[in-house]
Amino acid sequence: MVLHPAAKVREAGQDATLCCKASGIPAPRKYYWYHNGTLLEGPAGRSSGRLALRGLAPEQAGTYHCKASSEAGAIRSAPAQLTVLARGQQSCSAEPEPSLVELPSECPQDASGSRYYNVGRCPSSPCPGGSAEPEGCGEEAGRCCGVRRMELRQVPCAGSVLPVKVVAECGCGPCAQPRVLVQGRVTAADTGEPLRFGHIFLGATKVGFTGYQGSFTIEVPPDTQRLVARFVDGQQRLVDAVRVLPFDRRGGAVYQEVKMLRKKEPVELDGGSSNAIPLGEAGGREPVGELLLPAGAFLRPSGEVFNGTVKASVTFVDPRDMATASAASSDLSFANAEGEIVPLRTYGMFAVDFREGDSGAALQARPVQVRMDAGQVWMAEHLQKMKLWSLNPESGLWEEEGVLRPLGGDRRKREERTFLVGNLEIRERRLFNLDVPEERRCFVKVRAYSNEKFNPYEQLEGVVISLINLEPRPGFPSNPRAWGRFDSVVTGANGACLPAFCDPRSPGAYTALLTATLGGEELEAVASSPKLNPNAVGVAQPYLGKLGYRRSDHDDAALKKTAFQINVAKPDPNNVDENNGPVYSYRSLRECEEAPVSANHLRFYRVEVDKYEYNVVPFKESDVTSWTGDYLAWWPNPQEFRACFIKVQLEGPQEYMVRSRNAGGSHPRTRGQLYGLRDSRSVRDPLLGDTSAACVEFKCGGMLFDQSLPDRTLVSIVPQGSCRRTATNGLLRDYLSRHPPLADNNHTGAFSMLAPLDPLGHNYGIYTVTDQSPRLAKEIAIGRCFAGTSDGFSREMRAGEGTAVTFSCQERPPGRESFFQRLLSAPAEA
């Protein structure tokens, strides 16, 4: 499906046109339209990729999808929601929804003991389109609910006032059109070696190359529902990787690590003789099966039989090995007879590469035979369902090549099937799969939070949640596999729902391993030992006990805390304790997606080590659409985010909190006005005694949102405690002196500067990274700051390298207040 119907909002009496388009060989000729799952008959549902609805009535609201078909099969579009409002009904309320931000610690708490302030937000819901519907099927520009007016308020804090901008009124306006990106890194699964200058394809179109370190950026085309990318090693050392990459439709970048399997060393075969190649014999295991090639099976592209020496490489992805899950291709899905994309459960994949021994030219093959050991299948029903599939590298879907049937006589424990040579030659496919369709399916609800408080208004969006379906435990009719399927989903404003295998009869029949990453950073799961806390996990008893929740360090405290495992226990519809999540039946996806935050769900959280951020103009970094154009906005450009950090060395016996205060410095509209605050605790250097360093974010200098004049932010760096500035980076000092005006640096307990407009590097102690994702830009900059280099990355602080300013701190005499404390208690006087 290359064009999916788009969601629309209309008033009663208006018209709407929904469009879809599918591609395939042969080309689809029949289209069927469905409203709320019911096939539309008559003129409204004629066999066309276009559905015109005239004079809309309220009962025509709901979900619409289309199905395209040909003799080759069928495919369904994603559903689109059509909202029909009564005439004059407002879809965007002028009254903002509540949205809370945390005020600095020096601000007083309210009557309820909270330090959170309601700044309001406007939901990014669509507004009604115009009465004139365009005749074509291109994308509508659209109108969306957004901020119409903001107000500046003053919050009393420690003898001074803190400015904060709040949403005063919402209204309809043009929809934001943020760029949607997927970024990441491609490496070899065995050595971690980067794929340097590898080819990147979307469908049949080459869209770019990987960088020297294996990095890549893909801009997601509009209307994409399923992003399928293929990574190709130009040196042919690694097997092509086909990935279905999750992305955030609201904009910004999602980070993905892509692993590529190394091709198995080729063996030399005599093309004029029969040959057998085992599948899955590595690591001393019993082979899953074998590939049988009769004499004369190899062909040149011209069709000429090749009987010379053949170099044959067959690389097997063995699901008995847990390490192979991250390198497996695609997402193990196929389109069934109704066109619905449904999951497969793998018994192994193999990639084939046949080449002439002398010239290295690629070879094809006549019909070959695949034999699979029936002893590897312990679930009897799977023996009747086993099929051979090939991967369509453009759609990322597996397509059936044939059925594996048991052999009679003495070979009843083996199965066979024959490749369809025409298909292999025409499609040039080289990746195959031994799979069974799996109908026992559920969804698992997961949310990610910015910290361990698990406040509903501090959820993280844009987090990649990954779920690996593990095989059943011993004692249940199972297969000797480590994993059977994997999926990844990006969290939205209401979390994420991940598909998983489940069983209604036995809670432990299927288990799942879940992980979460944000911009390459692993999030932490809730602890399961020494005592399981249902309130922290997010699931009430007794259902939690049935799920058997266990964090990865449950039995070994030395292991990482970034994953958890559960039994995917299908909820009993007759048990009220199991009808509130976190596991939902496969037909209850909508209930899962719309579940309130009070419903049972599983959790990840970001470990924030004494870190605080405050923006005068509120902005949710995980939701690019929450950006508001304002002179005091921390990020002036929603299409490109520039993160700046300064490295501060602190000599003293403790770790110290360091604050950056950021105000307008040179721009006439913002001079002296606060942009925001950042607090960060220093981290000890394990190699330097009594020395730590802090990587503190500051607002970069540069153009403000109107792009007319740059502002050099006035940045003040103030450590807590009795600290005295003892050194300033010589290159930074010289740069600032050559680019006046100079900031006042009379107080030795602080360091001030007008932020440089140039992207200085580690030699200056300044770290600058530009990216389409604010979180990713910050993560990369922090990694470089920790390492003290302009191109490295570290999570271990190297306090003596790449610093901008040094403070010497000592224990404060009793009763004496530090400059940092004076700044908190009486900022005007300080």
Side-chain angles (χ1 to χ4, degrees), residues 667-724:
H667 196 288
R669 293 288 297 266
T670 63
R671 188 178 292 121
Q673 298 184 63
L674 186 68
Y675 291 119
L677 307 171
R678 297 292 188 267
D679 291 345
S680 184
R681 183 172 293 279
S682 64
V683 178
R684 286 190 179 281
D685 187 326
L687 302 180
L688 297 177
D690 285 345
T691 302
S692 61
C695 293
V696 187
E697 185 185 8
F698 64 90
K699 186 183 184 306
C700 305
M703 292 290 185
L704 299 185
F705 90 100
D706 63 357
Q707 301 295 307
S708 61
L709 284 174
D711 181 42
R712 292 185 63 190
T713 311
L714 176 59
V715 181
S716 300
I717 304 296
V718 185
Q720 73 169 28
S722 297
C723 297
R724 178 174 55 88

Side-chain angles (χ1 to χ4, degrees), residues 325-553:
S326 63
S329 273
S330 187
D331 62 352
L332 287 170
S333 297
F334 76 105
N336 64 13
E338 291 300 313
E340 184 182 7
I341 295 178
V342 290
L344 291 168
R345 177 176 168 187
T346 189
Y347 279 78
M349 308 176 190
F350 57 97
V352 299
D353 186 24
F354 301 138
R355 297 186 178 271
E356 294 184 23
D358 295 330
S359 68
L363 293 170
Q364 299 173 355
R366 292 180 187 271
V368 298
Q369 193 176 76
V370 176
R371 288 181 175 168
M372 180 179 178
D373 184 0
Q376 295 288 333
V377 184
W378 291 7
M379 298 180 78
E381 64 269 29
H382 283 184
L383 288 171
Q384 307 304 318
K385 297 179 180 179
M386 192 68 62
K387 295 181 179 181
L388 180 67
W389 310 77
S390 68
L391 180 63
N392 183 331
E394 295 188 18
S395 68
L397 295 174
W398 294 90
E399 298 177 1
E400 183 180 334
E401 294 284 351
V403 178
L404 290 125
R405 302 191 184 281
L407 285 177
D410 295 336
R411 308 189 72 170
R412 59 183 178 274
K413 287 191 176 181
R414 303 178 78 85
E415 300 174 317
E416 68 170 11
R417 77 124 348 263
T418 302
F419 275 99
L420 303 176
V421 134
N423 287 343
L424 290 177
E425 290 179 342
I426 295 172
R427 301 175 188 174
E428 297 182 351
R429 296 186 186 174
R430 291 293 181 269
L431 189 59
F432 304 94
N433 206 343
L434 303 165
D435 276 21
V436 292
E438 182 58 82
E439 298 174 353
R440 289 170 288 192
R441 297 169 281 162
C442 288
F443 284 98
V444 179
K445 183 74 174 196
V446 183
R447 299 178 189 270
Y449 293 84
S450 60
N451 53 54
E452 209 172 353
K453 299 174 185 175
F454 304 121
N455 289 321
Y457 40 85
E458 291 185 307
Q459 292 188 65
L460 292 175
E461 302 174 40
V463 176
V464 179
I465 310 290
S466 297
L467 184 150
I468 300 176
N469 288 270
L470 306 177
E471 284 298 317
R473 295 180 177 179
F476 185 81
S478 64
N479 292 288
R481 300 287 180 278
W483 61 273
R485 183 179 168 77
F486 48 87
D487 285 279
S488 294
V489 177
V490 177
T491 59
N494 201 34
C497 295
L498 290 100
F501 297 147
C502 59
D503 190 272
R505 296 167 297 172
S506 174
Y510 291 98
T511 57
L513 180 74
L514 289 94
T515 58
T517 59
L518 178 63
E521 172 195 2
E522 293 180 301
L523 272 61
E524 198 158 296
V526 178
S528 58
S529 64
K531 185 177 180 180
L532 189 65
N533 182 353
N535 291 329
V537 175
V539 182
Q541 295 284 21
Y543 198 17
L544 179 59
K546 191 174 180 179
L547 296 178
Y549 178 93
R550 291 163 65 88
R551 194 167 71 175
S552 45
D553 66 338

Side-chain angles (χ1 to χ4, degrees), residues 497-634:
C497 295
L498 290 100
F501 297 147
C502 59
D503 190 272
R505 296 167 297 172
S506 174
Y510 291 98
T511 57
L513 180 74
L514 289 94
T515 58
T517 59
L518 178 63
E521 172 195 2
E522 293 180 301
L523 272 61
E524 198 158 296
V526 178
S528 58
S529 64
K531 185 177 180 180
L532 189 65
N533 182 353
N535 291 329
V537 175
V539 182
Q541 295 284 21
Y543 198 17
L544 179 59
K546 191 174 180 179
L547 296 178
Y549 178 93
R550 291 163 65 88
R551 194 167 71 175
S552 45
D553 66 338
H554 185 86
D555 295 317
D556 185 353
L559 295 178
K560 295 170 75 173
K561 306 173 182 179
T562 54
F564 65 81
Q565 186 171 322
I566 61 166
N567 302 325
V568 190
K570 188 172 184 178
D572 180 356
N574 299 316
N575 187 340
V576 67
D577 294 325
E578 299 180 12
N579 286 306
N580 194 33
V583 181
Y584 295 81
S585 68
Y586 195 73
R587 297 299 175 190
S588 300
L589 174 59
R590 186 167 183 177
E591 287 87 339
C592 179
E593 291 178 335
E594 297 178 356
V597 72
S598 58
N600 288 334
H601 60 273
L602 297 159
R603 294 168 171 171
F604 287 96
Y605 64 94
R606 197 175 189 202
V607 180
E608 295 283 5
V609 183
D610 292 328
K611 191 175 174 183
Y612 173 74
E613 300 178 357
Y614 173 76
N615 298 326
V616 170
V617 180
F619 173 63
K620 201 171 184 179
E621 291 178 353
S622 58
D623 181 7
V624 179
T625 60
S626 68
W627 180 86
T628 305
D630 192 285
Y631 281 101
L632 295 178
W634 185 277

